[in-house]
Amino acid sequence: MALISHQSGLLTLIIICGAVLFMIYRARQGLESEVRRVAGIDVIDEAIGRSTEMGRPVHITNGLATLYSSGAPQTIAGLSVLSYVAKKCAQNGIPLITTIYVPETIPIVMEMYREASVLAESPEWFDDYNIRYMSSHRFSYATGVQGVLQREKPAASFLMGSFMAEALIFAESGYLAGAMQVAGTAATSQIPFFVAVCDYTLLGDELYAAGAYLSQDAVQMASIAGQDVGKYLAMILLLVGLILSAMGSDWLVNILKL
Amino acid sequence: MADIIVEIGIWVAAAYTLMIYSYPYKDTPLFKFAEHTMIGLGIAITTIMGIRNILDIAVGSIVNKGEIAWIVPILLGLALFTRYSRQYAWLSRWPLALLVGVGIGVSMGSSVDASFLAQIRSTVTGVNTLNKALLGIMIIITITYFIFSIGKEQREKGAFKYTSQLGRYVMMLCFGALFGNTIMTRMALFIGRMNFLLFEWLKLG
Amino acid sequence: MSLLKGKQIPIGITLVVGLMMIVNYYFGAALPAVKSTTTLVQNWTVIVAAFALIIGLINISRIHINHLLKRSKGQWFFSLWCLAIMYIMIALGLFGTTKNPGYQWLYNYVFLPVDATMYSSLAFFISSAAYRAFRARNVESILLLSSGVVIMLMNAPIGEIIWTGFPVIGDWIMSVPNVAAQRAIMICVVMGSVSLGLRTLLGMERGYLGREE
Amino acid sequence: MASAKEGFWNKLQAIDQRILYVLIIVVVALPLLRPLSLPITVTSATRTAYEKVDEYSGPGSVVIIAYEFIAGNWPEMGPIAVAMTQHLFRKPDIRIILLAMGRDQGPILAENTLKYIDEMGKEYGEDYVNLGFFAGAEAAMASFASDIPGLVKKDYYGTPIEQLSVMSGLNDLNDIDLFLCLWSGTPGWGEYLRQWQTPYGITVIGGTLGINGPGAQPYVSSGQLKGLVVGLRGGGEYEKLIGKPGEATSGLDAVSTSHLLIIAFIVLGNVGYFAGRRRSGGEV
């Protein structure tokens, strides 16, 4: 017993991973899962299109979470969006400015730019002066992003990743610059500001789903269906727990504490 | 002498404060100057910290304690620089793989237990008031908004259509509340800055 | 050689390290070897990340040196200033210590005030965002608007003087729908991050590794 | 004519944000310069906190105050720290220990707090002490709780603990009667909850930022926090309770005026929106 801590957590993790793996297996067999399209995805295309028409650059930033912290999934999901946006921008031949807080993403972003320019067969699109490290101090980063938004007037700005208070600085500065903005974050405390200011916001889990959608890969889409199993599990646990607790029983709570 | 240095410091601080506040007015060189100062200092401070970490922790442990294993992160760290070469760029994937492995592992390990189950536990403990029951029901309703794998018909006609719309309403109440609640904290910070400008700098008090 | 250059080794590293972190969380108490290895690897990441900071320094230096060489109009002076203050600060901090008076002065009278000012500029941005966003366009924005205004009137002492009901409604919003939505979002976010984590461990989400050679 | 009217309603919907920004500066600066002294009603939460501090700091008691916030949060945390610390300094015959285990800036902020305090004849070293910062966060908290002399060797200024009579006879957390936890984030209350409150059942009263208030509320309901003072509002109320108006009191006037200004703008925007729609014949 004492060998394993958080047994209920481990069991839940196994169930969720099992569900995701099962859905991936199904997809490999050719059985596609129907998955709702998140509206924000279309808005991303629209914003890039608008930039192209106006001949103005696109801006993207991926927030504060380092790759080795528990916020890493948000940064990885944000980078998937970046990869997609880079390819589109290279195809359309408009510059993409990436502002960076997490320095270990610099080599990754460089590689994504290179890949985008190769796919679009326009080597001249690759310009690594558009990949701008703005320091790993929050408000230095914020001033840098503000400067880019104010002076280079991007017509589209994507804020995808984990943010803190500077989220609103970016969103308002982007608004002042006249950019169409799409944001995505799992940081609950900042979602309200994105919802209030940006043209579209990927709420929490939708950010993770976005990466899989944009990959257009059936296997990745299947994993989204898999993660829904965990949500059904949560709903069942909540419902049963509510009823039991209202009847005065702590049975479920005690099990979940194991 | 010391007083003069402090006084100059207060004037410099006040000047920078006004430069930053010039941002919404229009594109001024003042903000640009403050911005470049801030980026320069921000990078300097974190770089110093980074170099100290490398020297004190890694190199220090090898030299002073003979802990040879620290050579591994140093080599991996150096491998990041191969991104600037065409021939050896593949090497830069290894350190990134290590960092991502740690990040993914840490988040997968703890999140199910510390976020998922903890939230459920605290919701279903001691449900003895109407509000607590309502809280639980609202959570269930809101989760339905996040269900992605639902067939088209159900999404357009079935119960999920209504619950996910209700879920959005609950979220809007929440976002409004968080927004409104943050205003006081932001005002408090601004009041702090105004106290500095009015009383420490202009000495109006 | 192609094996070395491919993605198998990095994906392997991610998988092994990731699994070790998970095993450590659940079985760490029983497996001291895993626990100590995990701590070791986590300490390593601090060093690897420190090298990444130097990559950042190179990145920004290249950009500004480029502006200087090209004498970019309206920019080269700022680039010069940025480089100057950056390297002066690094020199003061490395060859002196962080107790160096010059370092301390720059830190206390430039860095900290700008930091606090940036933070406080949110007071402006939050006001203009509220003005634009809190508009009764449809049911959703009416809910956003009314809950925001009620909480504002709960927080401002004057609100209670206007109507004693504000704190009562405000408390209810804070403790019921507010908590409900946050918990729901958190629960679903965990699902998303576990699924993304699993894809990453299995090498399906490999954007961070770049394109195939 | 009609178009001029429509133009007016449209303008109400799109007032230049710079006008709003200038007005924000004005409505914040004015009350700071000339306090309006708008009435402050004391909420039951702050009153409870005040009463509990009073109750657990009777003659002979020992109190710890932890300063777990950063200088950037002084505008909001400072008034709470000053008011609660002042309250304790007025209590006769008690010993006060200031420290920090989460934030290395803590001891400086403790010193800063003392600048605003009327010490009421209390002597440093005899009646109160600033122990400084203990690195190690949770580990330090755990070892302090189980063995105070084992961890604490000297105070913030380097004076050996043997020369500080205020510390005599204190062996572990059971010798402490009251703990004021003033925190702004992590590390903060969460760590003290795990290391001090849960295992030792120490009486804790908290003070924190406005944005942390809702998150900490469950601990007040469960009694793990006996009281909680939240944000500038809480600070202002506490200042009123101890009868010593300070930064929060004038700040609260500015909070009221700025909130009213924002609400006025929201109302203008909505008036413009509805009037504009009615005129242009859209559905209302």
Side-chain angles (χ1 to χ4, degrees), chain D residues 78-208:
Chain D
I80 301 177
V82 170
M84 295 184 89
T85 311
Q86 178 69 72
H87 185 197
L88 285 171
F89 269 80
R90 286 188 184 160
K91 305 284 289 189
D93 192 24
I94 69 165
R95 293 190 269 170
I96 304 171
I97 299 165
L98 317 178
L99 53 74
M101 297 197 175
R103 307 282 187 157
D104 56 2
Q105 298 180 9
I108 304 165
L109 293 165
E111 275 187 329
N112 210 19
T113 304
L114 292 176
K115 280 186 208 155
Y116 292 87
I117 299 277
D118 177 0
E119 298 189 357
M120 313 295 287
K122 288 206 171 6
E123 292 285 334
Y124 186 84
E126 265 173 58
D127 303 299
Y128 72 99
V129 64
N130 182 355
L131 290 183
F133 170 71
F134 298 88
E138 284 198 66
M141 290 172 196
S143 60
F144 184 97
S146 59
D147 182 9
I148 296 177
L151 180 73
V152 184
K153 302 293 181 200
K154 50 188 194 307
D155 74 352
Y156 183 48
Y157 309 99
T159 314
I161 225 65
E162 297 76 39
Q163 296 172 23
L164 300 163
S165 58
V166 57
M167 294 299 291
S168 64
L170 302 180
N171 295 314
D172 58 34
L173 209 59
N174 295 318
D175 297 325
I176 309 296
D177 301 279
L178 175 64
F179 170 44
L180 297 193
C181 184
L182 309 172
W183 87 97
S184 65
T186 320
W189 159 244
E191 287 69 22
Y192 283 111
L193 170 70
R194 281 195 289 275
Q195 300 304 331
W196 284 18
Q197 209 287 324
T198 310
Y200 293 87
I202 188 171
T203 306
V204 192
I205 292 160
T208 191

Side-chain angles (χ1 to χ4, degrees), chain A residues 4 36 120 146 158 173:
Chain A
I4 313 174
R36 146 168 97 86
Q146 273 192 308
F158 302 110
S173 304

